[in-house]
Amino acid sequence: IVSLVIVFISTQPISIPHTMTAGKSKRIQKGSKKHKKKDAFKKKEWYKVHAPTPFKSGFVCHTPVNKTVGTKLATTNLKGRVFEVSCGDLMKDETMSHQVIKLRVEDIEGKDAYTAFYGARFTTDKLNSLVRKWHTLIEAQVDVKTTDGYTLRLQAVGFTRRRRLQVKKTCYAQSAQVTRIQGRMRDVLEKTVSKCDTKKLCSILMHNLVGREIEKQCAGIYPLQNVFVHKVTVVKAPKLASAQVRELHNIKTA
């Protein structure tokens, strides 16, 4: 018995259904369910930040904090937060805008956050504008403890100045003179800072009283100009009680 198999060949191409994996195709999106965008600030509340007494403007800014959820308190998220504020805004004086003050939140009462001094620095453009050719740049660094328990690292900078009736174009100091000037800088910084607290230190730094004293002390070695304490870093800070923070902000306790 011979079986005949007849094969019909069609000229039209056979269409085979094909589906790509979700995510690889541009048309089929992976997880195509639309999620509503949640506003992150609905979970936050705003606190008013205050600056301590050495500064004329008591208001710093408003800052957002996550609301209290379970054991996570809003106050714990805010305590220890550091703010960098222009000294020109705090003192309401544009001539001090090159100084940046660091303030750290130490105490919270209601919706008010009270800060304390936590460092200072010069802006980069101010530091760059001081550097000039044909002059010697002299830097000194020292760690000092204040009367209220802060250990601060102060960095001072100064530049040589041309003597009166000097004809020579350059005014470079010798290495021995630089070493002596650095020693005088450290002595002035230690004597000044060790006798005052951070409240008094802020006013001294803002009015550059230390820089003027260094210029007077170093005039016999080599005349200086543009002497500033350009950076103050808090190495170690004491734990402040709420009563101490209120004293900084001139708040009378009941």
Side-chain angles (χ1 to χ4, degrees):
I1 302 168
V2 180
S3 60
L4 295 174
V5 179
I6 302 170
V7 179
F8 295 95
I9 300 172
S10 62
T11 55
Q12 296 180 355
I14 301 168
S15 59
I16 301 170
H18 178 71
T19 55
M20 291 187 75
T21 310
K24 294 185 178 180
S25 175
K26 293 181 180 179
R27 294 181 182 179
I28 304 168
Q29 293 182 357
K30 191 176 182 180
S32 58
K33 292 181 181 179
K34 293 182 179 178
H35 296 282
K36 291 182 180 179
K37 291 183 179 179
K38 295 179 181 179
D39 189 6
F41 280 91
K42 284 184 178 180
K43 295 181 180 180
K44 297 182 185 293
E45 53 190 6
W46 294 85
Y47 283 77
K48 188 178 181 180
V49 183
H50 299 272
T53 46
F55 307 105
K56 292 180 180 179
S57 177
F59 172 72
V60 178
C61 64
H62 285 93
T63 183
V65 186
N66 289 331
K67 292 180 181 178
T68 302
V69 179
T71 57
K72 292 183 179 179
L73 301 175
T75 53
T76 55
N77 292 330
L78 183 57
K79 265 191 179 181
R81 187 175 291 186
V82 180
F83 298 90
E84 283 195 346
V85 194
S86 173
C87 188
D89 294 336
L90 292 174
M91 295 299 292
K92 298 179 181 178
D93 188 359
E94 291 184 359
T95 58
M96 296 181 180
S97 58
H98 61 277
Q99 295 179 347
V100 179
I101 306 296
K102 284 185 178 182
L103 301 171
R104 188 172 72 167
V105 176
E106 297 291 346
D107 192 27
I108 300 163
E109 189 175 342
K111 294 291 182 183
D112 297 317
Y114 298 101
T115 59
F117 177 77
Y118 198 68
R121 64 176 179 85
F122 271 26
T123 55
T124 309
D125 57 340
K126 176 64 177 178
L127 279 173
N128 293 342
S129 67
L130 296 173
V131 180
R132 294 180 182 179
K133 59 182 179 180
W134 302 320
H135 295 73
T136 303
L137 185 150
I138 303 168
E139 288 182 306
Q141 179 178 302
V142 66
D143 290 1
V144 192
K145 192 172 183 178
T146 59
T147 55
D148 53 353
Y150 281 85
T151 304
L152 304 176
R153 181 168 293 147
L154 294 95
Q155 297 178 20
V157 65
F159 300 87
T160 55
R161 179 172 55 85
R162 295 178 68 184
R163 290 187 173 91
R164 194 177 178 185
L165 303 176
Q166 181 178 330
V167 180
K168 192 177 179 181
K169 194 175 184 180
T170 60
C171 52
Y172 297 127
Q174 296 178 356
S175 59
Q177 291 174 325
V178 172
T179 305
R180 288 177 63 192
I181 290 170
Q182 286 174 339
R184 290 278 178 91
M185 280 181 168
R186 293 190 194 98
D187 292 340
V188 172
L189 289 171
E190 284 179 2
K191 288 177 183 178
T192 307
V193 178
S194 61
K195 294 178 182 178
C196 64
D197 55 359
T198 51
K199 187 177 178 180
K200 189 178 178 181
L201 179 64
C202 288
S203 58
I204 290 172
L205 293 174
M206 287 186 292
H207 299 96
N208 195 30
L209 300 178
V210 180
R212 293 171 191 169
E213 184 62 27
I214 291 171
E215 286 182 17
K216 290 178 185 178
Q217 294 288 335
C218 298
I221 304 170
Y222 205 102
L224 298 178
Q225 63 179 351
N226 296 331
V227 182
F228 299 101
V229 179
H230 69 92
K231 192 172 183 180
V232 179
T233 309
V234 176
V235 178
K236 190 177 180 181
K239 289 183 179 180
L240 298 176
S242 58
Q244 292 175 311
V245 178
R246 287 177 183 180
E247 280 182 17
L248 291 172
H249 291 264
N250 287 338
I251 299 171
K252 294 180 181 180
T253 54

